[in-house]
Every structure is written in C-alpha cells, then in structure tokens.
C-alpha cells in the first residue's frame, strides 16, 4: 500500500490564483480530512469527509472547498489564494469515523502564496 | 481550543526513558487520550491512545491517572530518531476531529 499520498509537494501561487491540492489513499478508508499547519503551530482542521459524497467543515474552512466523489480521493481547492493561506497542508485518513481509529497522515504539501 | 496542556519542550538522554506529561483536567467520560508525534517536516504519526486503563504497544506506554485528569507518555529507551514534537489530544471516540495544540518538542541528546 502507498498509504496516503499528496501532490504536489511544493507549490508557489500568486494572490488570486486558484489551485487544487490532491490527496489519495489506497487503504479503503471511509474517513478523510485536511489540516493546515502554520509555522510553530499545531494542525488545524479545514474540512473532513466521513464517506463518499459527504463532507463537512472543520475549524478553519473559509477559502477552501472540498468534494468526495470517490472513497480514494479527497481534493482540496483554494478558490482565490491569499497570503494568509501560506502553510503546510496535511491530508489524513482513517478506516472509520466511528470508534477510536488511528489516523494516517500524508507527507504534506508546502504552499507559498505571494 | 485544545483541551490539553503540555510543556513546550523537554530534553532526554539517548537510551533513557522519556516521560512526557499531559494535563487534561476537563476531560469527560467518553473522551479518549491520543498521542501523536511529528518528526521534522513530516506528517503526524499515531503513537498510542487510551481511555482509562494504562496501555502499551511496541512504540510506547501510556499511563493515565485514576481521575483521568492527566497522563504520561513513556518512551522506554529513547533514541535520536525519537526527536520530534509530541501531541497529546483529547477527543471523543467518535469525533475523529483531532484538535492539535502546540505539543512538546522532545529532543533526545546523544
């Protein structure tokens, strides 16, 4: 298994540009989520999904959209990038949203918005 | 807001046991204690979790006080590769919405 994969690893955007961060998992996990991590800070939840076709907002959803058309993929879209969205983005998945399931994290995407 | 309090940093000698404390005085009865760690620039990695009994796995031990208001993660024989930020997280078993605080930066010294 490749686990949780994220692309790209690095991205530089100009203010106002849009882009999609890709996340995929091959473990047949129901639950997937996106976090952002600013320098020196812990992770903050952006959006999450408990299964295909179901998404919900986390702590910091503004400026981001998600969709979950398949079990494997959970892309994160930045609609109009702002410097405040400069961060490291982590995708995570777990087998189920029920019970105390271990979450598996991807390697992260480092985004710089100029 | 994170429901836990951890020291911002700790040091430990290689080969010794590293004991990382965590306070969670407002924990409720159905909330679990999770520990994750993040090695520099990588995604967080699950270590262990527990409800009220002490737990042990191949990575660490988790000691939870009887009143559940605090816990300690123990790395029995710390190595240089254990240098990381360790996050103690309290969350409802069904929530799956981990709230990360700032964690403890553990440095293992040779």
């Amino acid at each position: 298994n490749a686990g949780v994969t994220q692309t790209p690893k690095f991205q530089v955007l100009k203010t106002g540009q849009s882009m999609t961060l890709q996340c995929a998992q091959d473990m047949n996990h129901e639950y997937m989520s996106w976090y952002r991590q600013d320098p020196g800070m812990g992770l903050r939840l952006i959006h999450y999904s408990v299964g295909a076709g179901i998404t919900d907002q986390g702590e910091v959803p503004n400026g981001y959209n998600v969709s979950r058309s398949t079990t494997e993929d959970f892309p994160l879209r930045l609609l109009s990038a702002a410097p405040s969205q400069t961060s490291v983005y982590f995708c995570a998945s777990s087998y189920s949203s029920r019970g105390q399931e271990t979450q598996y994290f991807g390697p992260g995407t480092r985004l710089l918005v100029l | 807001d994170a429901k836990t309090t951890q020291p911002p940093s700790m040091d430990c000698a290689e080969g010794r046991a590293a004991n990382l404390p965590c306070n969670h005085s407002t924990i409720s009865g159905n909330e679990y204690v999770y520990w994750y760690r993040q090695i520099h620039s990588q995604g967080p990695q699950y270590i262990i979790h527990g409800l009220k009994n002490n737990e042990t796995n191949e990575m660490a031990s988790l000691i939870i006080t009887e009143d559940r208001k605090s816990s300690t993660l123990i790395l029995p024989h710390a190595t240089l590769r254990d240098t990381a930020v360790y996050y103690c997280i309290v969350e409802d078993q069904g929530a799956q919405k981990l709230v990360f605080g700032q964690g403890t930066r553990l440095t293992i010294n040779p």
Side-chain angles (χ1 to χ4, degrees):
Chain A
N1 286 349
V4 180
T5 58
Q6 294 184 236
T7 56
K9 287 189 170 60
F10 303 96
Q11 183 70 48
V12 179
L13 291 179
K14 294 181 180 178
T15 297
Q17 286 185 315
S18 62
M19 79 160 293
T20 299
L21 281 63
Q22 301 292 345
C23 174
Q25 51 88 12
D26 61 357
M27 298 174 281
N28 201 31
H29 283 173
E30 284 186 359
Y31 181 87
M32 297 185 74
S33 57
W34 277 102
Y35 293 84
R36 62 176 285 175
Q37 185 174 34
D38 299 326
M41 304 290 288
L43 282 74
R44 291 184 292 169
L45 183 66
I46 305 172
H47 285 285
Y48 65 98
S49 168
V50 299
I54 305 169
T55 64
D56 206 345
Q57 296 180 352
E59 181 187 356
V60 287
N62 292 342
Y64 307 94
N65 272 359
V66 292
S67 60
R68 184 94 180 271
S69 56
T70 67
T71 299
E72 295 78 18
D73 301 298
F74 190 44
L76 178 73
R77 281 183 289 278
L78 279 69
L79 307 173
S80 176
S84 60
Q85 293 179 304
T86 292
S87 191
V88 181
Y89 291 84
F90 291 101
C91 179
S93 73
S94 64
Y95 178 71
S96 169
S97 60
R98 298 177 296 276
Q100 344 86 42
E101 300 289 343
T102 300
Q103 290 209 28
Y104 296 86
F105 285 81
T109 293
R110 283 147 186 79
L111 177 66
L112 173 63
V113 182
L114 301 174
Chain B
D1 290 332
K3 304 174 186 176
T4 62
T5 304
Q6 299 177 253
S9 63
M10 292 182 64
D11 284 86
C12 180
E14 188 178 18
R16 305 296 294 268
N19 297 282
L20 290 87
C22 180
N23 287 326
H24 31 80
S25 58
T26 61
I27 192 170
S28 63
N30 60 343
E31 289 181 319
Y32 283 71
V33 180
Y34 296 83
W35 283 85
Y36 282 75
R37 72 180 182 183
Q38 187 174 25
I39 297 170
H40 180 62
S41 299
Q42 298 180 20
Q45 176 191 24
Y46 167 83
I47 302 173
I48 199 167
H49 74 275
L51 182 62
K52 50 184 157 182
N53 297 324
N54 297 338
E55 302 287 345
T56 295
N57 63 20
E58 65 278 4
M59 290 182 68
S61 295
L62 174 61
I63 309 298
I64 303 174
T65 58
E66 192 169 343
D67 64 7
R68 303 212 318 126
K69 293 186 177 181
S70 65
S71 60
T72 301
L73 178 75
I74 301 172
L75 308 178
H77 304 288
T79 71
L80 298 178
R81 287 174 294 190
D82 292 322
T83 292
V85 177
Y86 287 76
Y87 295 100
C88 170
I89 300 165
V90 165
E91 199 53 75
D92 184 89
Q93 67 171 359
Q96 284 294 337
K97 291 184 279 187
L98 301 177
V99 177
F100 288 78
Q102 298 204 19
T104 295
R105 183 172 298 278
L106 175 68
T107 302
I108 307 300
N109 300 307

